[in-house]
């Protein structure tokens, strides 16, 4: 099987070979970097919410980095939702970097310069996209 031509998609596929569920790793990193986020989740049932939120985010990221068929619009919807929850925009956007950094650590030596450049560019584009959603 050849690697996908999309480096973002490739990073997720490589990660899936090493880890069945990114959720605990992503949220552990989020809570370490942004401890204030831990109180944003209920104590009971939060694992399901976190897993669902991450799955939807990954789907939106893959679409945003790919063909942009519509799933990426979830980012705009969630910007508005999180604004309503009182989540600072910078914190909302930081979640994408947390995902990237989790993948980078998981991939280790397979985190290529091409993947790194693609993620850097993606984060710039997501930041710009989220910034215009007011």
């Amino acid at each position: 099987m050849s690697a996908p031509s999309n480096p973002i998609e490739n990073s997720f596929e490589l990660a899936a070979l090493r880890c069945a569920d990114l959720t605990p790793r992503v949220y552990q990193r989020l809570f370490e970097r942004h401890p204030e986020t831990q109180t944003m989740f209920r104590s009971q049932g939060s694992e399901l919410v976190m897993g669902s939120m991450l799955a939807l985010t990954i789907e939106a990221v893959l679409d945003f980095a790919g063909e942009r068929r519509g799933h990426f619009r979830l980012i705009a919807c969630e910007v508005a939702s999180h604004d309503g929850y009182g989540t600072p925009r910078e914190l909302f956007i930081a979640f994408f970097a947390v995902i990237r950094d989790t993948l980078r650590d998981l991939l280790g030596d397979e985190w290529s310069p091409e993947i790194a450049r693609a993620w850097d560019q993606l984060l710039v584009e997501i930041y710009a996209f989220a910034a215009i959603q007011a």
Side-chain angles (χ1 to χ4, degrees):
M1 181 172 98
S2 65
S5 59
N6 180 321
I8 302 297
E9 184 180 338
N10 188 29
S11 69
F12 281 108
E13 288 188 5
L14 290 169
L17 296 173
R18 291 163 179 70
C19 179
D21 183 7
L22 290 173
T23 307
R25 291 172 186 253
V26 167
Y27 283 92
Q28 177 182 355
R29 183 179 299 265
L30 178 67
F31 297 154
E32 286 171 359
R33 286 192 183 166
H34 304 279
E36 69 277 18
T37 60
Q38 209 155 0
T39 61
M40 296 176 172
F41 294 92
R42 301 181 312 215
S43 56
Q44 284 195 296
S46 63
E47 294 83 15
L48 293 173
V49 171
M50 289 186 282
S52 175
M53 190 169 115
L54 180 59
L56 290 170
T57 303
I58 290 171
E59 189 176 320
V61 163
L62 289 171
D63 189 47
F64 195 89
E67 296 181 14
R68 294 195 185 180
R69 293 184 176 205
H71 294 290
F72 77 95
R73 286 182 171 73
L74 176 71
I75 296 169
C77 295
E78 290 303 318
V79 164
S81 293
H82 284 73
D83 282 351
Y85 302 145
T87 303
R89 187 72 55 94
E90 297 77 25
L91 185 55
F92 175 83
I93 294 168
F95 188 62
F96 297 94
V98 166
I99 294 169
R100 181 222 29 218
D101 295 347
T102 302
L103 293 173
R104 184 191 59 224
D105 289 353
L106 192 58
L107 267 54
D109 291 343
E110 288 192 89
W111 184 262
S112 68
E114 179 185 27
I115 291 173
R117 279 190 302 276
W119 268 100
D120 289 347
Q121 181 62 38
L122 179 73
L123 293 179
V124 167
E125 291 176 18
I126 287 174
Y127 183 84
F129 181 71
I132 61 172
Q133 308 302 316

